[in-house]
Amino acid sequence: MQRYSGFGLAKHALSHHENWERQWRNPTPKKQYDVIIVGGGGHGLATAYYLAKEHGITNVAVVEKGWLGGGNTARNTTIVRSNYLWDESAALYEHAMKLWEGLSQDINYNVMFSQRGVMNLGHTLQDMRDIQRRVNANRLNGIDGEVLNPEQIQKIVPIMDCSKNARYPILGASWQPRAGVARHDAVAWGYARAADALGVDLLQNTEVTGFKIRDGRVFGVHTNRGDIEAKTVGCVAAGNSGVLAKMAGFRLPLESHPLQALVSEPLKPVLDTVVMSNHVHGYISQTDKGDLVIGAGIDGYNGYGQRGSFPTVEHTLQAIVEMFPMFSRVRMNRQWGGIVDTCPDACPILSKTPVKGLFFNCGWGTGGFKATPGSGHVFAWTLAKGQTHPLAAPFSIDRFHTGALVDEHGAAGVAH
Ligand SMILES: Cc1cc2nc3c(=O)[nH]c(=O)nc-3n(C[C@H](O)[C@H](O)[C@H](O)COP(=O)(O)OP(=O)(O)OC[C@H]3O[C@@H](n4cnc5c(N)ncnc54)[C@H](O)[C@@H]3O)c2cc1C
């Protein structure tokens, strides 16, 4: 694989950048693989990469019905943080955070991971009690976190309305300095390129239409390009996970909802951190290009249309203007939606299934982008060994039978 470097950039400038190698091959599907990953989003591609890199399993296909990273991976607002409340989720998201910190070097691809800090605002006494509790829990887990007062917040974000006259005055915030944002497409492309270089076949425009199951064991998938066999199949299909589970003959405790986001026209740099408010219900950051990236909660209905409804956008923008009155005249450029797979306890499912050899990694809902490297890492381990990785064990489907749920609504909610 051609390495990317400053020297390479200068060398290719001499030939007007016309001779770069393609980032990945476009192979014809083989009849058989050791492992099939269904879904070529960030999580699926990361899984394929770590399978090849850490477990030496390179006879792997990633089967993607559209284009790589065209699902939620390319539709999210890129917030990365690890300040979850419970030990189980904090461990998983912090595992991901540590991988983020070396990811660009590891895959030789600039994912533009920017640790600019994430702030969660509190507007009521109960918000502040929850924030205090979560920051304490984070610190006990070795995760960075601070509680900020309004003066400290105003210093970090001078353009925010921290006055006492606001409808819901800001009383404080939790602050994770190591949190931030990353370039979502680059994450998909970087993992794809690195996996391809290790021999993984990336099969785009290939839709899984069913599973080949005999005697309770999977041995392949049906696709629109013919059948492909493998004794291990990992599904990482986000909002379509319920559809795939149905094809395999079981149900998952998931709901698929539209979640939308929007970006503004580019502005000069005014906001160099990420601000989230569960209470007024909106969050915002600014890209290196200058656009404001804005989002909030899911639409209230189930659906698969990657759009979203107007009342949600209106509500979100009300929240943003309430926090940042100076943005009231900024024009919005684009709006879009993705389909998120939400679990009753706001935690993912990384699990074996009733079908032997068939595994699911889903339920990341509104907040899985931040987990991409960690999710791929532990899921690869799970697929390679046929048993659940210790960090994934609390997130098995069994929890919906045993009742050992990990309720992260406080740390997830609107706050991705
Ligand atoms: C608007 C929005 C904002 C968000 N903001 C954040 C955020 O700020 N921070 C954060 O951490 N998370 C955020 N998320 C959530 C995050 O985007 C997802 O949790 C994460 O990207 C899921 O990654 P994935 O690889 O599992 O899914 P995806 O990227 O959706 O990949 C799944 C792939 O499976 C493919 N597929 C489905 N069915 C089939 C089939 N039958 N055959 C073959 N392929 C199939 C799809 O085409 C898709 O490409 C947001 C999501 C949205 C929609």
Side-chain angles (χ1 to χ4, degrees):
M1 174 177 65
Q2 195 171 35
R3 278 196 67 75
Y4 290 158
S5 64
F7 174 71
L9 203 61
K11 192 179 104 189
H12 281 280
L14 299 175
S15 53
H16 306 283
H17 296 289
E18 283 172 0
N19 297 322
W20 287 99
E21 256 177 32
R22 281 195 173 274
Q23 299 207 51
W24 49 81
R25 297 162 297 131
N26 185 18
T28 310
K30 290 195 260 182
K31 283 268 161 267
Q32 204 171 26
Y33 291 91
D34 293 336
V35 179
I36 292 173
I37 314 276
V38 184
H43 289 229
L45 294 164
T47 307
Y49 169 66
Y50 292 118
L51 264 177
K53 184 193 164 210
E54 308 235 322
H55 305 280
I57 302 174
T58 56
N59 187 24
V60 175
V62 176
V63 181
E64 165 55 51
K65 72 174 176 181
W67 63 96
L68 300 179
N72 290 345
T73 297
R75 294 163 189 271
N76 74 78
T77 43
T78 81
I79 297 169
V80 175
R81 60 187 178 87
S82 61
N83 53 354
Y84 281 69
L85 176 67
W86 299 107
D87 296 352
E88 295 85 346
S89 23
L92 185 57
Y93 287 101
E94 181 59 16
H95 181 57
M97 179 66 91
K98 294 211 169 95
L99 289 168
W100 276 114
E101 286 172 332
L103 188 59
S104 293
Q105 288 73 21
D106 181 24
I107 57 178
N108 182 226
Y109 208 99
N110 186 2
V111 298
M112 296 170 72
F113 180 45
S114 161
Q115 292 178 291
R116 58 184 66 183
V118 172
M119 194 181 278
N120 277 89
L121 302 178
H123 303 261
T124 64
L125 283 177
Q126 188 56 46
D127 279 355
M128 291 314 299
R129 287 188 198 111
D130 293 342
I131 283 172
Q132 190 80 56
R133 179 184 179 204
R134 187 141 61 88
V135 169
N136 286 341
N138 293 155
R139 287 183 167 214
L140 287 170
N141 276 317
I143 295 170
D144 57 321
E146 287 166 42
V147 179
L148 302 181
N149 62 33
E151 291 71 42
Q152 292 167 306
I153 296 171
Q154 191 77 85
K155 221 169 168 188
I156 298 172
V157 192
I159 60 170
M160 192 154 56
D161 180 5
C162 294
S163 73
K164 293 198 169 71
N165 304 330
R167 186 169 59 125
Y168 293 107
I170 294 164
L171 303 184
S174 71
W175 169 243
Q176 186 181 15
R178 280 162 70 235
V181 290
R183 168 90 160 88
H184 47 18
D185 296 317
V187 175
W189 299 334
Y191 273 123
R193 178 171 177 268
D196 172 87
L198 294 172
V200 171
D201 279 0
L202 307 174
L203 309 174
Q204 301 187 75
N205 297 313
T206 310
E207 178 166 4
V208 169
T209 52
F211 293 94
K212 299 174 84 164
I213 296 172
R214 200 171 45 223
D215 300 330
R217 170 164 244 308
V218 74
F219 63 100
V221 293
H222 302 294
T223 80
N224 58 340
R225 296 171 76 187
D227 290 359
I228 310 177
E229 294 196 349
K231 290 211 175 96
T232 305
V233 178
C235 289
V236 204
N240 283 284
S241 300
V243 179
L244 284 162
K246 191 172 175 209
M247 290 178 196
F250 57 88
R251 295 186 68 191
L252 291 172
L254 289 179
E255 286 193 15
S256 295
H257 284 268
L259 174 66
Q260 50 187 317
L262 57 167
V263 290
S264 72
E265 59 188 341
L267 309 179
K268 285 188 176 167
V270 282
L271 182 63
D272 62 0
T273 184
V274 183
V275 177
M276 314 179 91
S277 166
N278 277 9
H279 206 93
V280 296
H281 215 234
Y283 62 85
I284 185 162
S285 65
Q286 189 175 22
T287 67
D288 294 348
K289 206 165 52 148
D291 318 3
L292 299 174
V293 180
I294 296 169
I298 53 175
D299 279 26
Y301 55 86
N302 300 131
Y304 292 95
Q306 291 172 317
R307 288 182 299 276
S309 63
F310 286 123
T312 304
V313 178
E314 199 180 352
H315 177 66
T316 307
L317 290 177
Q318 272 168 5
I320 296 304
V321 172
E322 186 164 345
M323 292 189 284
F324 298 92
M326 70 174 279
F327 291 154
S328 65
R329 293 169 70 87
V330 173
R331 279 164 299 196
M332 293 299 132
N333 250 356
R334 288 181 295 121
Q335 171 275 355
W336 64 90
I339 302 305
V340 294
D341 41 338
T342 59
C343 250
D345 60 353
C347 273
I349 293 172
L350 283 140
S351 186
K352 294 180 179 176
T353 68
V355 179
K356 277 206 193 86
L358 179 61
F359 297 80
F360 267 72
N361 178 352
C362 57
W364 294 96
T366 60
F369 177 69
K370 64 180 67 64
T372 305
S375 155
H377 197 257
V378 302
F379 200 49
W381 194 100
T382 300
L383 296 180
K385 302 201 188 287
Q387 32 175 306
T388 317
H389 187 286
L391 286 177
F395 303 106
S396 118
I397 311 181
D398 295 347
R399 73 181 191 272
F400 298 100
H401 293 287
T402 61
L405 304 181
V406 188
D407 191 342
E408 280 292 356
H409 277 103
V414 57
H416 298 311

